[in-house]
Amino acid sequence: MIRLPNICVGAMALLLLVSLAMPIQGAETKGKIASLNTDQSEFVLRDNAGTNWTIHLNKDGKVFLNDKEVKLSDLQVDDEVKITYEKKGEQFMASEVRGTRKK
């Protein structure tokens, strides 16, 4: 029978616990705001390939503009954004939107 040193077993157990405790990361993409519908908490993102994505902001989603937390309504068409999202059914749900606006 092969015996692993106790330190290896402990390290493997710690690695397993840390991996289970880490939050699941969403996918990321970036592009520019093509249009906004703040009443529906959604916007259209045009990616670098020219594809339009309709993105819905989660109820607890965060929006930042130039590293300052803002509301979705503070974003404007042509702001560059990077979003963290998950696909739920046919919808893209953003948990974070980070925008930059050139002054």
Side-chain angles (χ1 to χ4, degrees):
M1 171 155 64
I2 299 175
R3 300 182 122 205
L4 291 174
N6 287 341
I7 192 136
C8 288
V9 174
M12 288 181 355
L14 182 62
L15 181 63
L16 177 63
L17 286 174
V18 168
S19 66
L20 292 175
M22 288 177 44
I24 297 174
Q25 295 288 327
E28 289 185 350
T29 192
K30 56 185 170 180
K32 288 187 176 186
I33 299 287
S35 66
L36 286 159
N37 183 351
T38 56
D39 293 337
Q40 299 294 319
S41 294
E42 68 182 24
F43 60 95
V44 175
L45 171 88
R46 181 170 294 123
D47 66 15
N48 294 335
T51 304
N52 288 336
W53 304 41
T54 300
I55 309 293
H56 301 271
L57 184 65
N58 288 339
K59 289 188 183 214
D60 59 343
K62 302 279 186 183
V63 180
F64 298 89
L65 181 60
N66 295 335
D67 294 323
K68 179 181 174 189
E69 190 167 357
V70 297
K71 297 177 185 174
L72 184 61
S73 60
D74 293 322
L75 295 179
Q76 296 177 358
V77 172
D78 288 332
D79 283 345
E80 293 182 13
V81 292
K82 180 170 114 178
I83 63 166
T84 303
Y85 70 94
E86 291 181 28
K87 188 171 182 181
K88 293 185 180 177
E90 295 299 314
Q91 292 187 336
F92 296 101
M93 304 297 295
S95 57
E96 184 176 274
V97 179
R98 290 200 168 266
T100 55
R101 182 179 303 147
K102 296 185 175 146
K103 298 176 183 178

